[in-house]
Amino acid sequence: MIELLLVCAVAAIIVFGYIIMKKLDAFLANNRRFIDAEIAENSLLLAFDNPMIIDSLMTLFEGFSKANPNCQLHFLFGNTEDIYDKLNKNRIDLGFIENTASANDDTYNCLIISAKQNSVFCEKAGCTMIEPLNPSETQTSVIWKKASSNAFVNSFSALLLSNQAAINAEYVK
């Protein structure tokens, strides 16, 4: 009889724990959606297939940040296919990829800019910097979806278009 009571008590505790965990999962999922929406609303996600060009575009990013102090810039990197995939899924806002993009099509806007590969500092690896073997100018395509609902994308693309000549002139030899 005592074993039956013990089994029932353990079963009740397991059921109660299961219900609590379901409610906790729903709560955490709801908070995650809220946080993701908050981040997406106040940020610009920029993805690079070559992170060594970020430093050469820093004045552009600083100018954008001064004009839009409520926007946080998030820098990501990956390969070109990942960047297109994340753009299609609205997980990033703009992609900076090797100049392989076609001219403007129905889905993406594309702007070609010149950028220079610079050194990248890497303190955690125990070295001062990682330097490119070929620090020359590179042609980079900046791509973004035409139907973007993010106002910061429109603001950044307008900044890019208005400064395209200055960006490109900086790296003409």
Side-chain angles (χ1 to χ4, degrees), residues 62-82:
E62 288 172 356
F64 177 79
S65 291
K66 286 179 183 174
N68 300 280
N70 295 331
C71 180
Q72 295 179 359
L73 297 178
H74 296 272
F75 299 101
L76 309 159
F77 73 94
N79 62 40
T80 303
E81 294 80 25
D82 287 342

Side-chain angles (χ1 to χ4, degrees), residues 10 12 14 34-35 50 67 112 126 138 150:
V10 169
I14 290 173
F34 177 74
I35 290 169
N50 180 1
I112 309 298
T138 180
N150 187 336

Side-chain angles (χ1 to χ4, degrees), residues 48-67:
F48 296 82
D49 69 351
N50 180 1
M52 298 189 107
I53 66 168
I54 293 173
D55 188 52
S56 68
L57 300 171
M58 201 52 67
T59 55
L60 178 72
F61 301 137
E62 288 172 356
F64 177 79
S65 291
K66 286 179 183 174

Side-chain angles (χ1 to χ4, degrees), residues 45-49 83 87 92-97 140-144:
L45 301 168
L46 308 166
F48 296 82
D49 69 351
I83 291 172
L87 271 171
I92 61 172
D93 298 310
L94 289 109
F96 291 74
I97 61 173
T140 301
S141 297
V142 183
I143 56 172
W144 65 96

